[in-house]
Amino acid sequence: NAGVTQTPKFRILKIGQSMTLQCTQDMNHNYMYWYRQDPGMGLKLIYYSVGAGITDKGEVPNGYNVSRSTTEDFPLRLELAAPSQTSVYFCASSYSTNSPLHFGNGTRLTVT
Amino acid sequence: DQQVKQNSPSLSVQEGRISILNCDYTNSMFDYFLWYKKYPAEGPTFLISISSIKDKNEDGRFTVFLNKSAKHLSLHIVPSQPGDSAVYFCAASDPGNYGQNFVFGPGTRLSVLP
């Protein structure tokens, strides 16, 4: 039982490049989330999904896109990387809206 | 405007003593509160939670206290151990904000000194 798995662990992008951050969970959770964490700040919600085929914007969605074609996978897409997207990205899942989140180990992204 | 605040960025405590981490919130609709612990290069892991219908919840060395009138919660760790050194995040849940209802504080870095 791997929980929530994120790849890659680290990535350096040039401005304007695109990439997809992968997230998969094996707990059969319907709820999945993408957060970013900037230094000295709490985690900010980017996008979330309440089930396969359903996604919605969180607090800071600009510059990102998501899809949820299966229960297990919730990839996050950056189309035109900008320095402001330098951050640590965490994917999480939960059984319900009021149960604890299970987090992956994060992807550290640097855009230069 | 931060809805969940942790005003102490860092805290140092001697091994064996009590660690008290504090968290304040502004949204009176929050009804479920959680503490997460985070080691470097890992994701946050769930530690303990409390519902607004309670004022205390214990799990081993960890106790969370909730004061709804003051909109304040605290995490007590007794006795503190060096392995407790980590960043602790307070989070709050608004049941009316369907699907995106976890709001996180900025975290407090706890150092437990041997």
Side-chain angles (χ1 to χ4, degrees):
Chain A
N1 189 338
V4 178
T5 302
Q6 289 184 241
T7 56
K9 287 185 168 45
F10 305 95
R11 185 72 186 267
I12 298 174
L13 282 182
K14 293 192 187 306
I15 294 171
Q17 285 185 320
S18 62
M19 77 163 294
T20 299
L21 283 67
Q22 302 291 347
C23 175
T24 187
Q25 53 94 6
D26 61 1
M27 296 173 283
N28 203 32
H29 286 166
N30 280 325
Y31 297 86
M32 295 190 75
Y33 307 81
W34 274 105
Y35 288 89
R36 60 178 285 173
Q37 186 194 9
D38 300 316
M41 307 289 287
L43 291 95
K44 302 286 188 188
L45 183 66
I46 305 171
Y47 269 94
Y48 67 98
S49 169
V50 301
I54 305 168
T55 63
D56 211 340
K57 295 176 181 178
E59 184 182 356
V60 289
N62 291 344
Y64 308 94
N65 272 303
V66 293
S67 60
R68 184 95 183 269
S69 56
T70 66
T71 299
E72 294 78 21
D73 300 307
F74 191 40
L76 178 72
R77 179 87 179 154
L78 283 73
E79 289 295 348
L80 289 169
S84 61
Q85 294 176 307
T86 294
S87 190
V88 181
Y89 292 83
F90 290 102
C91 179
S93 72
S94 68
Y95 173 72
S96 70
T97 55
N98 244 17
S99 59
L101 299 174
H102 297 258
F103 285 88
N105 282 336
T107 295
R108 183 175 294 276
L109 176 68
T110 302
V111 182
T112 61
Chain B
D1 182 35
Q2 279 191 329
Q3 294 188 74
V4 178
K5 302 176 187 182
Q6 294 176 258
N7 292 322
S8 298
S10 62
L11 175 69
S12 291
V13 170
Q14 211 67 36
E15 181 179 4
R17 305 295 292 267
I18 184 171
S19 295
I20 301 176
L21 295 97
N22 293 305
C23 177
D24 296 289
Y25 61 95
T26 57
N27 188 343
S28 57
M29 298 302 293
F30 289 150
D31 73 342
Y32 181 53
F33 304 88
L34 308 92
W35 284 94
Y36 286 85
K37 175 179 178 179
K38 185 184 179 305
Y39 293 119
E42 294 184 10
T45 55
F46 169 69
L47 195 57
I48 192 169
S49 65
I50 188 166
S51 163
S52 62
I53 62 172
K54 299 176 116 179
D55 55 18
K56 178 182 172 181
N57 189 27
E58 276 183 272
D59 185 1
R61 297 185 297 115
F62 302 91
T63 303
V64 56
F65 295 92
L66 175 62
N67 182 334
K68 288 191 292 288
S69 60
K71 295 192 181 71
H72 176 83
L73 65 155
S74 60
L75 174 68
H76 293 211
I77 307 173
V78 183
S80 302
Q81 299 173 353
D84 296 328
S85 296
V87 177
Y88 289 78
F89 292 98
C90 170
S93 171
D94 174 3
N97 203 358
Y98 179 69
Q100 51 171 317
N101 56 0
F102 290 101
V103 181
F104 286 82
T108 296
R109 182 177 302 278
L110 174 66
S111 299
V112 180
L113 310 172

